[in-house]
Amino acid sequence: MKYVLMFVETEQFAKELEAMGELEQRAAYEAVGRWFAENADKITHHTHLAPVHTATTVRLGQGEPVVTDGPFVEGKEVVSGFAEVEVADLDEALKLARSWPACPIVEIRPVS
Amino acid sequence: MHEEMSREVLARVVREHAGRLAASLVSLLGDFSAAEDLVQDAVETALRRWPVEGVPERPDAWLSTVARRRGLDVLRRESNYRAKLARLTWPAPAAPDDRLRLIFTCCHPALSRAAQIALTLRVVCGLSTTQIAAAFVVPESTVAQRITRAKRKIGEAGIPYRVPPQEELPERLGEVLAVIYLLFNEGYLSSTAEQAQARDLVDDAEWLASLLANLVPKDPEVAGLLALIRLHRARGGARFDADGRLVLLADQDRSLWDRRAIEDATALLTRAARVHRRPGPYQLQAAIVACHAEAETFADTDWAQILVLYDMLLHLTPSPVTRLHRAIAVRYARGVEAALAELKELGDALERYPLFHATQAELLRGLGRREEARRADERALELIANPAQQALLEQRLAWD
C-alpha cells in the first residue's frame, strides 16, 4: 500500500534546532539523510517544504478568492515535509515513522 | 423440547464459537469488514433462534452454515468472495487457532481505545451491538457508528491481520491487556447485586484473559492480569449484602470468599513470577489483591508487604491514583498521620477526584477532626455525578 508520511514541526522543535551548535545541527541533518538512504527502497517520493513564514493561503468558494499570508491553520504545529512510501501495511508505515529522527510528529495517511 | 436457556449458557456458546468463525472467515475472504458482518449476522440469528429452538448440537457448524448462506446471498456481486465462500465446508480442516490475529487487529494502536473495546467485544467475544450498548449504557447508534468507523479504518488504512513480530509483541500485548483490563473494570465496578445486564462484561474479560493466556502462555503479564481478575471474582460473593449494598473490605464476611479459587489464582501468579524476575504492573496489582485475599481477617492483612508492592507499582507506572491507594496502606502500616501527610502532596492532582476527598474524610475522622472531615465528605459527594460513580466510590473505598 501507498502511504504519505507528513512531517510536522513544533515551535519547541524549531527552537531546539536553532539553539544547536553547528556540529549538532550537521549531525541532525545527517541523521535525516541516513533515514532517507536506509529506507530508499520504500520511499517513492519526498519533499521538504520551505519554512512556514513563506506560506500563502488562498480561500475559494465565497465570491472572490481571498489570498492571505500564512499557512491554512495558524498553529504551533506546521507541516514541514512529505514522504510517499510503498509498504505492505500500516504496521510497516508505523515502523518507518517511529524511526524518523527529526521533527516530533508524523501523520500517516494511506493514499486513496 | 428444551429448557429455557440461561443467558450465561447462550453467552458461553456464542463466545466460544463466534471468534473462531470470524478468524477463519477473515483468513478466507481477506476482508475483515465483510467477514465480521457475516459473523455478526449469524450471531444475531442465533440469539433470536437458540432461546426458542435450543442450542444446536454443533453450534460451530450451525453458525458457519448461516454465515456462509448469508454470504452467498449478500456478496452476490463480489464473485471473488462468493467463490471462496462456496468452498467453505464443515467441519473445517483443522486450523490453528487464529483468534490471536483477530485480537491484535481489534486492539491495533491505530484505533481509539473505545473502538478497540467495542470491536473486541463484538468480533472476538461475539456480543451484538445491542449488548455492547447495554453494557456501557450508551446509545446503540453510538456503538454501531464506532464499529463501522473502526472497520473502515482497518480496511482503508491497511491495518494488518496478523500477530506482530517478536520485537513489537510486548508493546502490542500491552494494548490488548489494557483493553481487557478496562473491560473488566467496567463490568466489575458497575455491577450490582441484581445484575440487570444481558451480558456480564466480567465474564467476557475473564474469558478473554484466559484465551490470551492460552495463546501467549509465556507472557507473565497476561498471567498477571488473569490472576488479578480471578482474585477479584473469588471474593465476589462477599461484595454485596442481602439488600444489594456494597460491603467494604473491612466488613466483608470472608467465609464467603472462594478459597479454592484464590489459591489457584495465587499459584498462577507465583508461577509467572518464578519464570520472570521483574513483575509488571498487572502482576503487582494481582499481588496486592492476593495479599488481601490471603488474610484470614482484616486485622491479619500484611500492610507492610502491600506497601512494598505499591512502591514497586509506582516505580513502574507513577500515578496519583495509585499513590492515593498506597496512602490507604500507609494508614494501616504507619498510622493515620502519616497517611494524611501523603495525601497533602496529592491535593493538586486529585482535586476533582471524589475518592481523594472521601479518603481524606475517613482519615480526618480517625483523628477526631470532625468538621474538616464533614467538609471533605461534602466535596466528595459534590463530585459524584451519578449512582454508577457513587458505586465506584464505595467500591474504591473497599480498598481493592
Side-chain angles (χ1 to χ4, degrees):
Chain A
M1 275 182 76
K2 258 201 174 85
Y3 295 86
V4 167
L5 310 188
M6 276 176 263
F7 303 115
V8 183
E9 270 184 12
T10 58
E11 265 181 6
Q12 169 82 9
F13 176 77
K15 271 186 206 140
E16 280 169 18
L17 198 65
E18 221 167 282
M20 280 180 187
E22 201 179 318
L23 270 177
E24 260 184 305
Q25 257 182 20
R26 197 182 306 154
Y29 287 126
E30 273 168 16
V32 171
R34 253 196 321 279
W35 186 86
F36 278 106
E38 275 162 15
N39 299 302
D41 57 331
K42 301 181 194 86
I43 297 165
T44 44
H45 182 73
H46 66 92
T47 312
H48 186 213
L49 303 177
V52 72
H53 69 258
T54 61
T56 307
T57 302
V58 182
R59 284 174 208 278
L60 309 156
Q62 296 143 359
E64 284 292 297
V66 180
V67 179
T68 49
D69 174 33
F72 74 100
V73 246
E74 284 289 356
K76 292 186 166 138
E77 293 161 354
V78 292
V79 175
S80 63
F82 300 89
E84 188 192 72
V85 300
E86 174 78 54
V87 289
D89 51 42
L90 184 62
D91 280 1
E92 269 194 43
L94 278 167
K95 207 172 166 182
L96 279 176
R98 275 168 208 262
S99 65
W100 171 246
C103 61
I105 301 173
V106 181
E107 179 176 326
I108 305 172
R109 282 257 204 114
V111 174
S112 70
Chain B
M1 48 139 279
H2 58 274
E3 292 153 37
E4 201 193 318
M5 202 177 320
S6 74
R7 282 201 299 256
E8 287 103 286
V9 172
L10 194 59
R12 194 169 62 233
V13 178
V14 169
R15 197 185 280 139
E16 198 45 58
H17 300 294
R20 284 180 196 276
L21 180 59
S24 61
L25 279 180
V26 177
S27 295
L28 181 77
L29 297 177
D31 181 326
F32 185 93
S33 189
E36 204 278 326
D37 281 341
L38 297 181
V39 177
Q40 183 67 23
D41 218 74
V43 164
E44 275 172 6
T45 310
L47 289 176
R48 254 191 337 268
R49 287 181 43 190
W50 292 358
V52 185
E53 299 166 13
V55 175
E57 204 166 307
R58 294 295 309 265
D60 45 358
W62 193 98
L63 287 168
S64 167
T65 306
V66 173
R68 176 176 178 268
R69 209 180 289 147
R70 177 86 181 141
L72 291 173
D73 215 32
V74 297
L75 299 174
R76 222 169 265 291
R77 274 167 299 174
E78 310 272 352
S79 58
N80 178 29
Y81 288 173
R82 281 175 56 82
K84 285 172 174 170
L85 273 175
R87 287 203 304 273
L88 181 66
T89 53
W90 206 267
D97 195 335
D98 256 354
R99 283 178 293 179
L100 194 56
R101 293 208 267 172
L102 207 57
I103 293 171
F104 277 114
T105 301
C106 291
C107 299
H108 196 279
L111 301 170
S112 73
R113 186 69 86 212
Q116 292 175 338
I117 290 173
L119 212 53
T120 304
L121 280 175
R122 201 163 104 151
V123 183
V124 186
C125 301
L127 266 76
S128 69
T129 304
T130 316
Q131 288 173 325
I132 298 171
F136 285 91
V137 204
V138 290
E140 214 174 307
S141 56
T142 307
V143 177
Q145 197 179 46
R146 211 171 268 169
I147 288 173
T148 308
R149 279 204 194 127
K151 289 200 305 189
R152 276 183 59 186
K153 177 143 191 203
I154 289 174
E156 291 171 14
I159 291 177
Y161 178 61
R162 66 148 183 259
V163 174
Q166 196 62 37
E167 73 268 16
E168 287 170 27
L169 206 54
E171 201 189 325
R172 295 287 307 275
L173 261 180
E175 292 276 326
V176 179
L177 291 174
V179 164
I180 300 175
Y181 182 69
L182 284 173
L183 214 54
F184 170 72
N185 265 345
E186 182 67 29
Y188 194 72
L189 298 177
S190 68
S191 66
T192 57
E194 61 261 71
Q195 184 65 254
Q197 289 161 8
R199 219 161 120 173
D200 189 348
L201 288 183
V202 174
D203 284 340
D204 284 300
E206 182 181 342
W207 179 83
L208 270 171
S210 105
L211 172 66
L212 200 60
N214 280 325
L215 297 173
V216 196
K218 287 199 183 107
D219 190 273
E221 278 292 89
V222 175
L225 178 58
L226 181 59
L228 176 65
I229 293 174
R230 287 189 171 159
L231 282 164
H232 275 303
R233 298 199 83 183
R235 301 178 303 156
R239 281 180 75 213
F240 297 98
D241 65 14
D243 300 323
R245 280 190 300 257
L246 268 168
V247 182
L248 296 183
L249 181 60
D251 306 325
Q252 286 182 8
D253 176 359
R254 297 187 178 215
S255 69
L256 296 174
W257 290 2
D258 184 343
R259 288 284 163 200
R260 177 72 191 279
I262 290 172
E263 277 169 33
D264 287 349
T266 311
L268 172 69
L269 194 59
T270 315
R271 277 199 303 278
R274 203 175 289 147
V275 186
H276 304 263
R277 296 285 166 190
R278 278 186 308 176
Y282 293 110
Q283 289 172 84
L284 289 170
Q285 286 183 74
I288 291 168
V289 181
C291 276
H292 287 296
E294 283 172 338
E296 292 286 334
T297 65
F298 185 73
D300 290 333
T301 309
D302 187 350
W303 292 106
Q305 175 66 28
I306 290 174
L307 261 187
V308 170
L309 292 166
Y310 269 122
D311 284 338
M312 291 166 78
L313 185 59
L314 279 168
H315 183 71
L316 289 180
T317 51
S319 112
V321 171
T322 306
R323 283 185 66 189
L324 178 63
H325 286 255
R326 181 181 174 279
I328 295 163
V330 167
R331 171 207 176 141
Y332 290 99
R334 296 181 193 152
V336 181
E337 300 269 9
L340 212 50
E342 297 276 328
L343 246 55
K344 269 219 175 83
E345 294 173 28
L346 298 174
D348 287 344
L350 298 177
E351 164 51 31
R352 303 206 54 80
Y353 191 61
L355 177 62
F356 170 77
H357 299 282
T359 307
Q360 198 164 36
E362 277 274 314
L363 296 176
L364 289 167
R365 199 165 284 116
L367 290 173
R369 290 155 68 175
R370 294 191 167 278
E371 185 51 31
E372 290 163 85
R374 199 178 54 79
R375 279 204 302 273
D377 261 340
E378 279 168 3
R379 180 76 185 127
L381 275 172
E382 259 173 50
L383 292 168
I384 300 171
N386 59 38
Q389 275 183 302
Q390 193 164 6
L392 180 123
L393 171 69
E394 289 175 51
Q395 166 58 22
R396 292 273 162 83
L397 270 173
W399 306 306
D400 59 4

